[in-house]
Amino acid sequence: CVVDESQVRTAGGEDLQGNQLRGWEVLVNLSPNNEPVRVDDWRAACGEFLGTSRVSQRFYDIRSRLERMRLIEINDGLVTRRME
């Protein structure tokens, strides 16, 4: 199953936008078949758009927002997209 990141919407109908959408797109590109990805590798890949200022906080915001939206799961330092 390959996910088209431009069509991501939560169960409540909320669209991803801004850095959350960009972080999601990076995750999809890192693992189109949803194999687990190390959180550190995902964060490093997001570096291109996160820049150099407050990187840890900005990545935390992306990660926690996607978790709250129930779009990703993180277990033992590995992230996967929820496929529901």
Side-chain angles (χ1 to χ4, degrees), residues 5-18:
E5 67 269 6
S6 66
Q7 299 177 1
V8 177
R9 184 172 276 199
T10 65
E14 184 178 3
D15 289 327
L16 286 179
Q17 34 186 306

Side-chain angles (χ1 to χ4, degrees), residues 51-69:
T52 57
S53 177
R54 299 180 44 220
V55 173
S56 293
Q57 181 62 50
R58 293 171 71 202
F59 182 75
Y60 175 81
D61 292 344
I62 292 167
R63 173 184 163 169
S64 60
R65 171 85 177 190
L66 294 176
E67 282 183 290
R68 282 194 311 273
M69 294 172 82

Side-chain angles (χ1 to χ4, degrees), residues 1-9 21 24-25 28 32 81:
C1 173
V2 177
V3 176
D4 179 0
E5 67 269 6
S6 66
Q7 299 177 1
V8 177
R9 184 172 276 199
L21 178 59
W24 175 263
E25 290 170 344
V28 169
R81 299 184 313 274

